[in-house]
């Protein structure tokens, strides 16, 4: 299943669809350059513009990896993005999320987008294990992964620096059950 062949996915508060060129607008580029949004992501070390965003979008074409736009169910405005990198040979898929619209943080949009995508992915042919990772100080992300039924499978101690402080990288996983 390629990302451009995937159906629209409906959660309770968000809908997910493939990210397109038209989704690269000033709001989106603003999120990537917003220190609060990328504080715990390695995107913080880069400067983003329309061109770098187009390059990133192109990097998905024909790969089987997913780049999705998460949109509010109510008015379809873009709230953030999700990615999923597939390793078909191993039957694994690594998922990431960015809710760029800070005004909706803490209202369940991230959880809904995460659950909607991960439940769907684990039903797809050839996928047997879902993985994701974050730093030990990304409390929102940890909560979101744990509430989706993922469990901690590995820790890389003091692997990254956040504001100069060494923090652990936490690796979570969930296996397909059937
Ligand atoms: C992490 C992120 C996806 C969470 O999205 P969200 O829409 O705010 O998440 P939800 O509202 O669905 O929250 C899930 C739970 O985590 C909690 N939470 C969210 N942010 C939190 C924070 N900074 N500290 C503690 N708890 C937090 C929420 O309160 C909620 O728990 P509750 O229902 O018990 O209140 C979002 O903040 C984000 O995209 N951040 C920037 C990018 C990022 O860090 N991505 C992950 C990189 S690995």
């Amino acid at each position: 299943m390629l990302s451009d062949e995937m159906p629209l996915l409906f959660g309770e508060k968000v809908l997910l669809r493939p990210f397109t060129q038209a989704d690269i607008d000033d709001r989106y580029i603003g999120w990537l350059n917003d220190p609060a949004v990328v504080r715990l992501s390695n995107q913080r070390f880069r400067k983003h513009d329309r061109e770098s965003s187009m390059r990133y979008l192109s990097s998905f074409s024909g790969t089987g990896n997913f780049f999705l736009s998460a949109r509010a169910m109510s008015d379809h405005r873009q709230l953030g993005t999700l990615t999923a990198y597939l390793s078909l040979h191993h039957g694994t898929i690594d998922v990431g999320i960015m809710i760029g619209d800070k005004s909706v943080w803490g209202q369940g949009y991230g959880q809904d987008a995460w659950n909607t995508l991960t439940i769907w992915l684990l039903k797809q042919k050839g996928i047997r294990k879902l993985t994701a990772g974050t730093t030990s100080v990304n409390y929102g992300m940890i909560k979101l992964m744990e509430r989706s039924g993922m469990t901690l499978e590995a820790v890389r101690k003091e692997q990254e620096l956040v504001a100069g402080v060494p923090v652990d990288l936490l690796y979570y996983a969930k296996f397909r059950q059937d």
Side-chain angles (χ1 to χ4, degrees), residues 36-42 79-81 95-102 104-114 132-135 137-145 147:
V37 174
V38 297
R39 189 176 72 87
L40 299 172
S41 145
N42 282 318
L79 301 178
T81 58
V95 186
I97 182 168
M98 175 188 76
I99 298 297
D101 184 339
K102 289 179 293 190
V104 303
W105 280 3
Q107 295 173 36
Y109 288 92
Q111 189 78 58
D112 186 42
W114 187 261
T134 195
T135 55
V137 291
N138 197 336
Y139 308 113
M141 190 61 200
I142 292 169
K143 200 158 187 183
L144 191 149
M145 289 189 292
R147 281 218 292 228

Side-chain angles (χ1 to χ4, degrees), residues 1-164:
M1 165 73 66
L2 292 174
S3 133
D4 46 11
E5 294 166 0
M6 72 175 276
L8 265 182
L9 298 181
F10 293 94
E12 285 164 21
K13 300 163 82 92
V14 298
L15 63 88
L16 308 179
R17 62 148 173 78
F19 188 96
T20 67
Q21 275 189 30
D23 299 325
I24 303 174
D25 55 12
D26 290 346
R27 269 177 88 231
Y28 171 74
I29 295 168
W31 298 338
L32 297 176
N33 291 310
D34 181 341
V37 174
V38 297
R39 189 176 72 87
L40 299 172
S41 145
N42 282 318
Q43 299 306 324
R44 68 187 180 276
F45 303 117
R46 300 188 184 167
K47 175 110 183 65
H48 294 270
D49 54 23
R50 168 159 279 278
E51 206 186 341
S52 63
S53 301
M54 291 288 280
R55 268 200 309 275
Y56 184 63
L57 172 58
S58 318
S59 75
F60 284 83
S61 74
T63 60
N65 297 327
F66 294 81
F67 184 22
L68 305 179
S69 174
R71 321 199 63 103
M73 196 79 93
S74 53
D75 59 6
H76 291 196
R77 77 187 187 285
Q78 182 161 246
L79 301 178
T81 58
L82 293 98
T83 55
Y85 287 89
L86 177 68
S87 175
L88 203 50
H89 295 297
H90 299 293
T92 58
I93 192 152
D94 193 65
V95 186
I97 182 168
M98 175 188 76
I99 298 297
D101 184 339
K102 289 179 293 190
S103 72
V104 303
W105 280 3
Q107 295 173 36
Y109 288 92
Q111 189 78 58
D112 186 42
W114 187 261
N115 292 349
T116 302
L117 179 61
T118 57
I119 288 169
W120 182 79
L121 285 174
L122 271 179
K123 287 183 189 150
Q124 299 310 299
K125 196 165 156 245
I127 297 183
R128 61 180 189 86
K129 181 182 183 186
L130 187 88
T131 62
T134 195
T135 55
S136 51
V137 291
N138 197 336
Y139 308 113
M141 190 61 200
I142 292 169
K143 200 158 187 183
L144 191 149
M145 289 189 292
E146 290 184 342
R147 281 218 292 228
S148 73
M150 300 182 86
T151 52
L152 183 65
E153 66 168 5
V155 177
R156 289 193 85 178
K157 300 301 276 182
E158 299 189 3
Q159 180 66 16
E160 292 194 350
L161 293 174
V162 172

